[in-house]
Amino acid sequence: MVILLELGLVLKKRCSDPVVEEACAIRKALTVALQEGWVNIEVQSNCKIVVSKILDEDIRDAKIGTLVEDIKLLKNNFRNCSFSRSEEHT
């Protein structure tokens, strides 16, 4: 994630599920960006599942539903906050 690199964040791996890890990283990045006072943010992820869930109205997902809900709530704190899928990986 670009924002993680720009903010110099290092996240420790917490579980073996990359989808959960990506959702956790996005939530952490939004939290830090908010603390830093950023108002415009673009989040890019190479995880299609996470980006799709964030952009979808239906957040029901046993693995990442709560994380996606947190991300959507954090998103409301920014003037502009967009999510897109980067094409680095599939």
Side-chain angles (χ1 to χ4, degrees):
M1 293 179 55
V2 175
I3 187 170
L4 291 177
L5 296 175
E6 288 181 11
L7 291 175
L9 294 177
V10 177
L11 299 177
K12 294 181 180 179
K13 192 170 183 177
R14 297 180 185 188
C15 69
S16 61
D17 189 327
V19 172
V20 174
E21 289 297 326
E22 186 71 5
C24 284
I26 291 171
R27 181 179 64 181
K28 178 66 174 177
L30 291 177
T31 300
V32 172
L34 186 61
Q35 292 169 345
E36 293 292 321
W38 294 14
V39 294
N40 300 306
I41 186 170
E42 178 184 350
V43 179
Q44 295 181 352
S45 171
N46 60 5
C47 186
K48 181 180 179 181
I49 295 169
V50 174
V51 173
S52 295
K53 288 292 180 184
I54 292 170
L55 297 175
D56 192 2
E57 291 295 319
D58 181 14
I59 61 170
R60 290 178 289 171
D61 185 295
K63 286 195 300 187
I64 62 169
T66 302
L67 290 167
V68 170
E69 188 175 325
D70 289 350
I71 290 166
K72 288 184 174 191
L73 289 172
L74 285 165
K75 176 187 177 203
N76 294 330
N77 292 294
F78 297 94
R79 183 180 310 136
N80 296 300
C81 181
S82 63
F83 298 89
S84 62
R85 186 165 169 256
S86 64
E87 297 298 326
E88 285 184 20
H89 301 93
T90 56

